[in-house]
Amino acid sequence: MGPIWSKDYRAGGTCSGVLDGAYAVRLRRQLMQSLGVMTRAVDLLFRVIDNPMREQYHTAWEKLQPAAKVSTTEDELFTLRAVLINVLTEAHVDCNDWENGWAWIGVLGDFSDGDLCMPQLGIQVPMPAGSITGMRGRDLEHFIAKWSGRQRYSVVHSFWDSIRRHVGIDEGPYDIANTRKKEDAS
């Protein structure tokens, strides 16, 4: 299974005109590279909070075909980045995320409010510009509270479970239902 390229991407080839797909490819690559600093910050937090799962993400990434990889750093972990611009999300779970895995959100912009709300836990996590939050988005219902200001950018970092399964990685080192390491459960 390889990537599915859009018509614009396929049309680009080696051309360099603004109207062809190569221009879009270069812009996409530049955007991804500009997210490298945020990815490194997420990686640092991931190492501290759940290094065994982080290592699973890294192993899965390494097993991907080169054509399927778009890196933001030299030590990439995520197959999906969603850049949300001025979005208010409704309550949802991220059903496609890695089972027992993590989603990370980095927030930028000029805004106030916009907390991350997790109704199952009964909490609102403040997310001012410059903050990064990690959560098990597949397991926790969540949404972004109303915010005000000029602009709010959220960069969601995730790894889909279907890709994890495709490269042959098990779901992770934890039994979420029992909230303990799998090897400790026996």
Side-chain angles (χ1 to χ4, degrees):
M1 178 172 114
I4 299 171
W5 302 115
S6 70
K7 178 181 174 186
D8 290 336
Y9 190 100
R10 289 190 316 265
T14 58
C15 301
S16 59
V18 171
L19 299 177
D20 69 30
Y23 181 73
V25 170
R26 283 195 309 277
L27 286 178
R28 179 174 177 240
R29 188 169 291 129
Q30 289 171 358
L31 171 63
M32 295 304 290
Q33 289 171 346
S34 72
L35 297 174
V37 173
M38 185 180 291
T39 300
R40 286 189 288 279
V42 166
D43 186 28
L44 174 65
L45 292 169
F46 207 171
R47 287 175 192 260
V48 170
I49 292 170
D50 191 352
N51 196 52
M53 182 58 83
R54 185 253 178 228
E55 290 301 319
Q56 293 275 323
Y57 276 50
H58 182 70
T59 300
W61 175 264
E62 290 298 315
K63 289 184 171 197
L64 290 172
Q65 295 294 319
K69 296 179 180 182
V70 178
S71 298
T72 61
T73 70
E74 60 285 343
D75 199 16
E76 185 60 67
L77 298 172
F78 302 98
T79 57
L80 174 72
R81 294 283 183 333
V83 179
L84 308 177
I85 303 171
N86 297 337
V87 173
L88 279 174
T89 60
E90 295 182 7
H92 67 282
V93 293
D94 300 319
C95 59
N96 292 319
D97 284 0
W98 185 309
E99 185 175 349
N100 302 329
W102 291 84
W104 298 87
I105 306 168
V107 185
L108 307 165
D110 180 14
F111 65 93
S112 58
D113 302 318
D115 294 350
L116 172 64
C117 302
M118 293 180 263
Q120 290 168 281
L121 302 177
I123 62 172
Q124 288 187 216
V125 178
M127 290 194 62
S131 63
I132 296 173
T133 302
M135 68 175 170
R136 296 193 189 277
R138 181 176 174 141
D139 300 311
L140 286 173
E141 186 178 60
H142 56 281
F143 65 93
I144 300 301
K146 187 174 180 179
W147 58 273
S148 60
R150 290 183 17 180
Q151 69 270 341
R152 184 179 189 279
Y153 302 97
S154 298
V155 182
V156 179
H157 303 68
S158 183
F159 201 116
W160 277 13
D161 198 59
S162 59
I163 297 172
R164 172 201 58 83
R165 290 189 318 270
H166 175 75
V167 298
I169 302 292
D170 74 15
E171 71 271 8
Y174 298 103
D175 177 351
I176 296 302
N178 294 312
T179 63
R180 60 184 174 192
K181 287 188 178 179
K182 285 183 180 177
E183 62 266 17
D184 295 341
S186 52

